[in-house]
Amino acid sequence: MAEIQLRNVNKRWGNFVGVDNFNLTIADKEFLVLLGPSGCGKTTTMRMIAGLEDITEGEIAIDGRVVNDLDPKDRDVAMVFQSYALYPNMNVYENIRFPLKVRGVDASTHDERVRRASAMVELDDFLHRKPAELSGGQRQRVALARAIVREPNVFLMDEPLSNLDAKLRVSTRAQIKNLSHELAVTTIYVTHDQIEAMTLADRVVVMEKGVVQQVGSPTEIYDRPANAFVASFIGNPAMNLIDGEITDGIFETRNTHISGLGHADGKVTLGFRAEDAALAPEGDGQITAPIYTLELLGDATMISVRIGQSLVAVKTDKSFRAEIGDPVSIHVPPDICHLFSTETGQRIEG
C-alpha cells in the first residue's frame, strides 16, 4: 500500500513562493496528474515527494510515515525524468538492471526482473543496444523499464513524453496507461499537456503560481471548472471566455446577446465550449461576427471569430466551407454557458 499525504506543504526561496499550502491525500494505486503551465510548482511538488527538494514547511507522509527527513533512496519511489537520464556506456539490459545492482538486490533475481520489465515496454529486441542507437521513444521506454524493475511503492513521472514527437507521444501515452493498470502502483505524473492529464489521470490537480486551483476527475474538471483559469487551461481548444454584462438575465457585449441566464445583474465572464455551440442560419444566432480564421481538423472544421479581445471558437461539420471575413451566426444555448466572476475569476454557481 502507498497512500501519500501532503499536509500544508510549502516551498519558498527567499520571498519567492514555489508551492503554497498544498494539501492532498493520494490514494493507494491512484494515478494522479499534476497539471499546469511552466513554473506553476508541479515539478517542485514532485521533487519534494521524491526527497530531491527540501520542504520549507509542512509534512509529506507515505504509508502513514512522515518522510521529510528521509533520503530519496529510503522513500521507495522510482522517478522517470523528461531527459531519460540513461548511462551512455551501458547497453539497454545494463541500464535497466542498474537500480537492482545499486540497491544490492539478490543477483540471482536480476535477469528475470530485467526481462519482465523490458517485456512490459516491448524492448526485448533492443537489450543489447546502447542508448545512442535508440530513438527517443525507445529511450523513454528504457527509462520506464528502469523504474518498473525496482518494483517501487510509488512511481514519479516528470514530463516523460515532452521530448517525443506527436505520434510517439500518443503511442507511449497508451503504453503508460496500460502499464499503470497492469502494475497498480501509486503514480504521480507531472505535465503541462492537458490531453495527457485528461487521458491518463484518475484525478487531476490543476496548479497555477504554486497554488492548487482545482482537484477532481478529468470529467469534473472539464464539465465544471472551478475558475476561469482552469476553464482556459483544460480542453482542446480551451473554453471560450467572453467579458460582458448581464442585465435582466441577458448577457451582452459586442456582437453578442445571450438571454435566459438567471444571474444577478453585473459584469461577468461567460464561458462555453466550442463543441457545445453550433452555427445558425444568418441572424438566428446569439453571436454574429465575421470569420477570423478556419481550421480543417479532419473530422470537423473549427471556426473562430473575434469578440472584443477574445477569440471565440465553434466546432462545425467537416464539410463546411467559407472564407475568412464571411459573416457567421453562432447559436449558444444558455444551459451550456458557464459564468465566472470577472473580478476574481471564480465560478458563479447557478
Side-chain angles (χ1 to χ4, degrees), residues 85-92 95 129-133:
L86 304 180
Y87 297 101
N89 58 319
M90 296 182 188
N91 64 20
V92 169
N95 263 287
R129 292 196 188 179
K130 296 278 181 68
E133 301 171 80

Side-chain angles (χ1 to χ4, degrees), residues 6 19 22 34 41-49 60 207:
L6 292 93
V19 176
F22 194 115
L34 300 176
K42 56 193 187 295
T43 295
T44 301
T45 302
M46 173 179 281
R47 288 174 64 83
M48 288 190 289
I49 294 168
I60 294 177
M207 298 181 70

